[in-house]
């Protein structure tokens, strides 16, 4: 069963305006005003405006009367829709083969076949929210078994992320308000007049009277939310997308038949890429079933490729994940992320030593899922935890190195851990220390190596100091520890000791 993610962007219009005009004061509340004839109302409000009691739908005159320094901008639905489209295309290239706009304020996507590339559902959602926040956009995201449930939960919860377990849709949506059913406001108001308060109340009512009074829409939205009726997502497609398709007069379902046609589609896709001088970095296989549902598989590569055999293998290893159901009526293969590819000579009799290409191994491990593949590279920073960064496994070397004047441990703890130390201040190494409940006697020590804070980046580190020591205990284990502060002036640090690394 596919899993659906709904992303809700509650302040998209105001966030877009602030990004487009940095001169707007972040301290002043901002609202977007929509017009219809002589009528003017609040179409969107930022967080500052909402905290002051303004709300969407409020008359513009009333909002301006309540808040004196209110910044008022006319609504531009076309610009908001264009921004939403750009965000949807970005999500398509990064997260899932099946992504669509959910106007006016959301994105919806299926993650089946692609969430493993992000480390699982929890890491995927948290990373998604953090990336939106980095773009200056507020976002809430929910993942559930159905589009209707995910859409409702993303818009009714105060949490940034919500994950509904498989098969737990009923429990999650029953307490939700009727407005989460995506019904017209008039219908919701009429249902409330009849005494219905939640989705669960409505679901427990016989369907016939509801259909007689409100038509089939109420029942259809309920069935879509609970997963009784399919609600397919029509994925967005960029204009320059390289895509090949195969439709079948008779549905297919046998694994060997699927494998045969996927191989043919890979060959066609590579020929199209060759015509354009491109190689593919991310390839999506979309499976359209006769029951109006979609499945998808995504394969990524560490560098642009156009190798028919290799791309075929990446999909062949995962074809068993496809569930044909009552049959497959169409297969689509798309190069979601393509880059220029320049053919290079891989072997020559003039070259004695050939460089081993490890990208096939990176592709296999990356598509297997669980963890993202990366390598670490040096960063120009004296502060140890800031001196490394994660980069792509095939990124080019930039020539940067770590300082060689003092040794650095091969294992740096994610966060320095406090230790208890017996030492003579200010410059003497520890005599003994206790870490994770075990007391260790110091046999040898080297230091101190004094590291100053980056005061030119962080004003709070203007006088920050750390004194690092390399110590060896009586069992031969070597550690990297430091004292916060110079051992004399309390302004330079707390004078507490920490474990920061372990030597091999």
């Amino acid at each position: 069963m596919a899993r659906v993610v709904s992303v809700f962007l509650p302040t998209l219009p105001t966030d877009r305006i602030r990004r487009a005009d940095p001169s707007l004061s972040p301290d002043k509340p901002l609202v977007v005003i929509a017009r219809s004839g002589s009528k003017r109302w609040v179409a969107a409000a930022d967080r500052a405006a909402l905290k002051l009691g303004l709300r969407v739908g409020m008359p513009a005159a009333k909002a301006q009367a309540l808040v004196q320094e209110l910044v008022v901008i006319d609504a531009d639905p076309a610009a908001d829709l264009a921004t939403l489209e750009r965000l949807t295309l970005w999500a398509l290239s990064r997260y899932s083969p099946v992504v669509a706009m959910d106007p006016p304020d959301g994105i919806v996507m299926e993650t089946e076949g692609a969430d493993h590339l992000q480390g699982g559902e929890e890491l995927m959602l948290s990373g998604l929210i953090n990336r939106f926040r980095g773009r200056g956009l507020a976002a809430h995201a929910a993942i559930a078994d159905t589009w209707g449930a995910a859409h409702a939960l993303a818009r009714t919860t105060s949490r940034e992320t919500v994950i509904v377990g498989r098969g737990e849709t009923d429990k999650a949506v029953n307490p939700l308000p009727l407005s989460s059913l995506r019904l017209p406001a008039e219908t919701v108001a009429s249902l409330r007049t009849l005494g219905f308060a939640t989705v669960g109340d409505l679901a427990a009512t016989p369907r016939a009277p509801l259909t007689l009074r409100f038509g089939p829409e109420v029942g259809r939205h309920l069935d879509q939310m609970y997963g009784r009726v399919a609600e397919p997502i029509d994925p967005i497609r960029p204009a320059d997308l390289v895509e090949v398709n195969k439709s079948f007069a008779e549905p297919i379902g046998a694994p060997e038949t699927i494998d045969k046609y996927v191989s043919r589609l890979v060959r066609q896709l590579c020929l199209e890429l060759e015509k354009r001088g491109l190689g593919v970095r991310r390839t999506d296989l979309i499976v359209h079933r006769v029951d109006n549902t979609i499945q998808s598989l995504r394969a990524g590569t560490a560098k642009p490729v156009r190798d028919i055999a290799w791309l075929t293998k990446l999909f062949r290893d995962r074809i068993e994940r496809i569930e044909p159901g009552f049959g497959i009526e169409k297969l689509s293969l798309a190069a979601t992320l393509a880059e220029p590819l320049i053919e290079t000579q891989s072997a020559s009799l003039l070259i004695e030593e050939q460089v081993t290409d490890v990208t096939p191994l990176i592709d296999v491990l990356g598509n297997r899922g669980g963890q993202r593949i990366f390598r670490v590279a040096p960063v120009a920073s004296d502060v140890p935890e800031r001196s490394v960064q994660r980069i792509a496994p095939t990124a080019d070397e930039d020539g940067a190195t770590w300082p060689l004047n003092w040794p650095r441990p091969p294992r740096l703890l994610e966060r320095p851990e406090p230790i208890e130390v017996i030492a003579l201040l200010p410059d003497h190494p520890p005599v003994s220390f206790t870490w994770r409940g075990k007391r260790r006697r110091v046999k040898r020590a080297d230091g101190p190596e004094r590291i100053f804070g980056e005061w030119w980046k962080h004003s709070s580190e203007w006088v920050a100091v750390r004194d690092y020591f390399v110590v060896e205990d009586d069992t031969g284990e070597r550690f990297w520890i430091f004292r916060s502060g110079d051992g004399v002036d309390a302004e330079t640090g707390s004078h507490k000791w920490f474990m920061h690394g372990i030597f091999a």
Side-chain angles (χ1 to χ4, degrees):
M1 181 183 294
R3 299 279 281 170
V4 181
V5 174
S6 178
V7 181
F8 174 44
L9 305 167
T11 56
L12 177 62
T14 56
D15 292 340
R16 175 188 62 79
I17 291 169
R18 289 196 181 279
R19 291 181 64 197
D21 188 359
S23 64
L24 290 173
S25 173
D27 299 328
K28 292 185 178 181
L30 171 67
V31 295
V32 176
I33 302 298
R35 303 170 182 266
S36 178
S38 60
K39 185 179 179 181
R40 300 169 66 244
W41 69 93
V42 176
D46 66 1
R47 292 181 176 178
L50 294 173
K51 288 181 179 179
L52 293 173
L54 305 186
R55 56 181 176 81
V56 175
M58 175 183 288
K62 182 178 180 181
Q64 290 176 293
L66 290 174
V67 180
Q68 297 299 322
E69 295 186 348
L70 185 64
V71 179
V72 176
I73 304 291
D74 288 335
D76 189 349
D80 294 336
L81 192 63
T83 300
L84 185 61
E85 182 179 10
R86 288 195 296 272
L87 293 171
T88 306
L89 290 172
W90 167 78
L92 171 69
S93 66
R94 187 171 187 92
Y95 287 101
S96 171
V98 182
V99 183
M101 292 192 295
D102 192 5
D105 53 14
I107 298 171
V108 61
M109 56 187 175
E110 286 189 3
T111 65
E112 197 73 13
D115 55 351
H116 70 288
L117 299 177
Q118 305 293 332
E121 293 179 348
E122 185 174 353
L123 287 178
M124 181 184 65
L125 283 192
S126 60
L128 179 67
I129 293 298
N130 288 335
R131 288 186 177 91
F132 274 112
R133 187 185 294 116
R135 290 169 172 255
L137 299 171
H140 297 264
I143 184 168
D145 291 339
T146 66
W147 182 354
H151 181 279
L153 290 164
R155 286 157 178 78
T156 56
T157 181
S158 58
R159 292 179 292 168
E160 287 189 330
T161 61
V162 178
I163 299 178
V164 179
R166 293 181 183 271
E168 298 180 358
T169 301
D170 295 13
K171 180 181 177 181
V173 303
N174 282 341
L176 298 182
L178 294 178
S179 57
S180 62
L181 275 171
R182 297 177 289 174
L183 292 169
E186 298 80 6
T187 303
V188 172
S190 298
L191 289 169
R192 286 172 177 164
T193 302
L194 294 175
F196 297 105
T198 66
V199 173
D201 295 339
L202 197 61
T205 302
R207 185 68 56 85
L210 292 175
T211 304
L212 185 63
R213 179 160 184 171
F214 298 103
E217 287 300 299
V218 173
R220 183 171 64 86
H221 281 267
L222 280 172
D223 290 339
Q224 288 174 342
M225 177 175 281
Y226 285 99
R228 305 185 191 110
V229 173
E231 188 177 10
I233 299 172
D234 185 16
I236 192 172
R237 285 292 180 255
D240 59 348
L241 182 70
V242 183
E243 184 176 19
V244 292
N245 304 282
K246 176 62 179 177
S247 299
F248 305 101
E250 295 292 336
I252 65 171
E256 58 273 11
T257 306
I258 299 173
D259 177 68
K260 179 180 68 174
Y261 284 106
V262 169
S263 301
R264 293 181 182 179
L265 287 175
V266 169
R267 181 178 297 275
Q268 294 176 25
L269 184 68
C270 289
L271 291 176
E272 290 295 325
L273 291 168
E274 185 176 5
K275 293 177 183 178
R276 308 186 190 193
L278 300 174
V280 67
R281 287 285 309 278
R282 194 163 293 134
T283 314
D284 294 335
L285 175 66
I286 310 295
V287 180
H288 302 262
R289 305 196 315 188
V290 295
D291 59 356
N292 203 27
T293 59
I294 292 177
Q295 284 187 283
S296 60
L297 293 177
R298 168 164 285 184
T301 56
K303 64 180 182 180
V305 299
R306 212 164 47 221
D307 188 323
I308 296 175
W310 182 241
L311 289 174
T312 301
K313 181 184 184 307
L314 291 180
F315 282 105
R316 181 172 291 157
D317 291 344
R318 299 164 60 205
I319 280 180
E320 69 275 1
R321 297 183 60 177
I322 297 176
E323 299 176 2
F326 294 107
I328 298 170
E329 61 182 3
K330 182 181 177 181
L331 292 174
S332 300
L333 191 66
T336 309
L337 181 59
E339 298 175 358
L341 175 62
I342 300 176
E343 300 289 354
T344 58
Q345 186 172 343
S346 60
S348 171
L349 296 176
L350 299 177
I351 303 176
E352 296 181 358
E353 295 184 4
Q354 299 293 328
V355 177
T356 302
D357 186 5
V358 298
T359 52
L361 175 62
I362 295 172
D363 294 344
V364 171
L365 296 176
N367 286 284
R368 186 175 297 170
Q371 296 291 335
R372 298 187 65 184
I373 309 300
F374 63 90
R375 79 170 196 265
V376 296
V379 177
S381 176
D382 289 333
V383 181
E385 57 266 35
R386 301 176 192 152
S387 63
V388 295
Q389 63 177 340
R390 294 183 179 185
I391 62 174
T394 58
D396 295 331
E397 298 285 350
D398 59 4
T401 60
W402 283 285
L404 302 176
N405 51 335
W406 286 89
R408 291 289 185 266
R411 180 189 172 192
L412 197 68
L413 299 183
E414 184 176 358
R415 295 179 181 175
E417 299 182 9
I419 57 176
E420 297 179 5
V421 168
I422 298 177
L424 183 63
L425 297 179
D427 296 327
H428 288 268
V431 176
S432 65
F433 65 93
T434 302
W435 177 48
R436 295 181 177 177
K438 182 177 180 180
R439 185 173 181 271
R440 301 173 185 269
R441 185 180 300 277
V442 176
K443 187 176 181 181
R444 297 183 180 88
D446 189 14
E449 173 194 0
R450 178 155 293 179
I451 293 178
F452 295 89
E454 295 179 330
W455 49 267
W456 59 94
K457 294 181 180 179
H458 309 275
S459 58
S460 60
E461 298 180 4
W462 183 264
V463 293
V465 170
R466 290 180 185 175
D467 281 344
Y468 278 85
F469 292 87
V470 179
V471 299
E472 180 181 326
D473 66 6
D474 48 10
T475 65
E477 294 186 83
R478 299 171 66 231
F479 305 93
W480 204 40
I481 64 177
F482 72 86
R483 181 189 63 237
S484 176
D486 61 5
V488 177
D489 191 348
E491 291 186 359
T492 62
S494 64
H495 295 166
K496 295 181 179 180
W497 290 80
F498 298 86
M499 174 69 65
H500 203 174
I502 303 172
F503 289 90

